Amino acid sequence: MLRKIFLLLLVVTAVFGVSAQHAPGSWKVLPMSGMDFDDVLDTPEKVYYLTGNALYAYDKEADETIYYTPGSKISDSGIQSIAYNKAGKYLLCAYTNGNIDLLFADGQRVNLPEIKTAQIDYPKVINDVKFSGDEIYVATSFGLVVYSDNR
């Protein structure tokens, strides 16, 4: 009788103790969400939010949260601020190092590294971003940079 109870306990612990693992050499990115939200932008398709210098989006139709991983969905890490252009239907991500990404609704990403790679002796800090027509006005610590979003 004692042997049957021991065997039953062994089977139960073996079944509940099994867990799935990733294949050797594969990686899974587990995003970390902070307690404070720096920016929250509501767009027709998604709600974008910035927390802990990382970008997330809640897809309203699919009812899921998306984490934008550096190197695959966005080009850099350390997002400082985000802004949405309603006319152009794209999200602008400004990074702490001066880099800029434009994220379109169809998944296309356009990188604007001109501020980051500029050969100047001033800090490359992006202070604010505004949109007017097809132009993007970027206020930096060294002056104003104007981009045309249709080129």
Side-chain angles (χ1 to χ4, degrees):
M1 180 69 174
L2 186 60
R3 194 176 229 179
K4 288 182 182 179
I5 293 174
F6 178 71
L7 253 146
L8 179 67
L9 285 174
L10 182 65
V11 168
V12 169
T13 56
V15 169
F16 289 115
V18 174
S19 64
Q21 295 182 0
H22 292 285
S26 69
W27 289 84
K28 180 173 180 167
V29 177
L30 299 173
M32 295 177 55
S33 179
M35 294 296 291
D36 299 325
F37 297 100
D38 298 323
D39 286 329
V40 177
L41 298 175
D42 188 16
T43 68
E45 300 87 21
K46 298 176 182 172
V47 176
Y48 294 96
Y49 56 98
L50 189 62
T51 176
N53 290 351
L55 179 64
Y56 298 85
Y58 172 72
D59 190 331
K60 296 176 182 178
E61 181 145 340
D63 192 27
E64 67 179 356
T65 299
I66 304 161
Y67 170 58
Y68 287 83
T69 54
S72 63
K73 294 186 180 186
I74 55 176
S75 61
D76 217 332
S77 60
I79 299 176
Q80 177 181 334
S81 63
I82 55 176
Y84 187 74
N85 186 336
K86 292 178 184 175
K89 296 184 179 177
Y90 61 83
L91 181 78
L92 183 142
C93 299
Y95 297 93
T96 55
N97 61 5
N99 200 4
I100 295 175
D101 274 344
L102 302 180
L103 304 176
F104 292 87
D106 62 358
Q108 179 187 8
R109 176 187 72 201
V110 176
N111 183 246
L112 305 173
E114 291 80 13
I115 296 173
K116 176 183 176 181
T117 60
Q119 299 295 319
I120 57 173
D121 291 332
Y122 293 99
K124 300 170 187 174
V125 177
I126 296 175
N127 296 323
D128 199 8
V129 174
K130 296 294 180 196
F131 304 102
S132 177
D134 64 345
E135 294 189 334
I136 306 167
Y137 295 91
V138 181
T140 67
S141 58
F142 59 86
L144 185 66
V145 178
V146 181
Y147 289 99
S148 176
D149 68 2
N150 56 3
R151 284 190 276 147

